Amino acid sequence: MTVAYTIGQSLYLNITNRCTNNCVFCIRRTKEGVGYDLWLSREPNLQELLEAVGDPGRYKEVVFCGYGEPLIRLELVIAAAAEFKKLGAKQIRINTNGQANIIHQRNVVPELAGLVDVISISLNAQNAGAYAELSQPVKYSPEEAYSAVLEFARQCKKYIPRVVLSVVNWPGVDIEACRKIAEELEVEFRVREFYGNG
Ligand code: SF4
């Protein structure tokens, strides 16, 4: 079971395979993924996660990511991030689909303040219609999910030092319209290349 894996100088944490989306470009749909088998037979607990990480200060950053949406396991993320900070982690990042506030039915962002240095939110699309096609939310309507992502980004801007909205370079993604959304929210913008082999 691969709970922690390195890419470059970053340590990535795989804490769940659950997600509230089913994106057309999800790496879970590719044959090789990121080069590690990230399918979990069960989700790791806090102790297992801490053991898998060891000394977090050895890495440029520790990233909650995985084959799934890490903030589905909000309590674990908060507890682990607090431990990593105590142990000298240089930077903590979360890669998220931005739906945590509807998943948990409250604004969870203040709970991440002081623990998370960077949050990378998958915007994925320029409007709810495109989001329906590209991200295929499985639990919420595309309108509900997409507006939740935008509101989540607004909240993150208040509490987290670096906020990045990301899109994948994929047919149907209007990159310039997405860039404008990021500008309006006054957050960073990043275009990711798809590198799965299908
Ligand atoms: S939000 Fe991320 S983990 Fe979830 S389906 Fe989309 S790409 Fe995959």
Side-chain angles (χ1 to χ4, degrees), residues 18-28 66-69 96-97 122 124 135 192:
R18 291 179 282 160
C19 188
T20 47
N21 279 349
N22 185 22
C23 300
V24 290
F25 39 67
C26 183
I27 201 157
R28 299 185 299 179
Y67 261 4
E69 170 46 47
T96 177
N97 68 13
S122 300
N124 288 350
S135 290
R192 293 181 288 130

Side-chain angles (χ1 to χ4, degrees), residues 24-149:
V24 290
F25 39 67
C26 183
I27 201 157
R28 299 185 299 179
R29 293 180 177 220
T30 68
K31 285 196 185 119
E32 293 174 356
V34 290
Y36 297 92
D37 179 7
L38 296 181
W39 291 110
L40 297 167
S41 51
R42 62 179 176 78
E43 294 183 341
N45 61 32
L46 179 61
Q47 194 53 39
E48 288 167 331
L49 190 57
L50 296 178
E51 281 168 17
V53 170
D55 174 7
R58 285 183 295 159
Y59 306 97
K60 189 183 84 180
E61 62 176 350
V62 176
V63 186
F64 289 91
C65 183
Y67 261 4
E69 170 46 47
L71 290 177
I72 285 179
R73 301 196 67 199
L74 178 68
E75 283 181 20
L76 178 76
V77 170
I78 290 171
E83 284 301 317
F84 298 151
K85 283 280 177 193
K86 273 189 226 155
L87 292 168
K90 295 186 181 79
Q91 177 167 285
I92 295 179
R93 169 160 59 108
I94 299 178
N95 288 353
T96 177
N97 68 13
Q99 294 178 16
N101 286 355
I102 43 171
I103 292 170
H104 298 287
Q105 293 290 299
R106 67 177 192 276
N107 180 16
V108 304
V109 181
E111 299 166 49
L112 303 172
L115 298 175
V116 176
D117 303 289
V118 185
I119 194 151
S120 180
I121 304 165
S122 300
L123 176 65
N124 288 350
Q126 60 278 10
N127 55 41
Y131 196 78
E133 300 266 316
L134 295 161
S135 290
Q136 304 185 3
V138 291
K139 198 163 173 205
Y140 310 105
S141 73
E143 292 74 20
E144 193 182 10
Y146 191 70
S147 67
V149 173

Side-chain angles (χ1 to χ4, degrees), residues 24-25 121-136 142-143 145-147 149-150 154 165-185 189-191:
V24 290
F25 39 67
I121 304 165
S122 300
L123 176 65
N124 288 350
Q126 60 278 10
N127 55 41
Y131 196 78
E133 300 266 316
L134 295 161
S135 290
Q136 304 185 3
E143 292 74 20
Y146 191 70
S147 67
V149 173
L150 295 178
R154 278 185 207 103
L165 281 187
S166 73
V167 297
V168 175
N169 190 3
W170 187 272
V173 179
D174 184 338
I175 289 176
E176 288 316 307
C178 292
R179 189 191 308 278
K180 198 152 179 278
I181 291 169
E183 281 170 9
E184 282 166 7
L185 292 170
F189 181 65
R190 182 166 166 247
V191 180

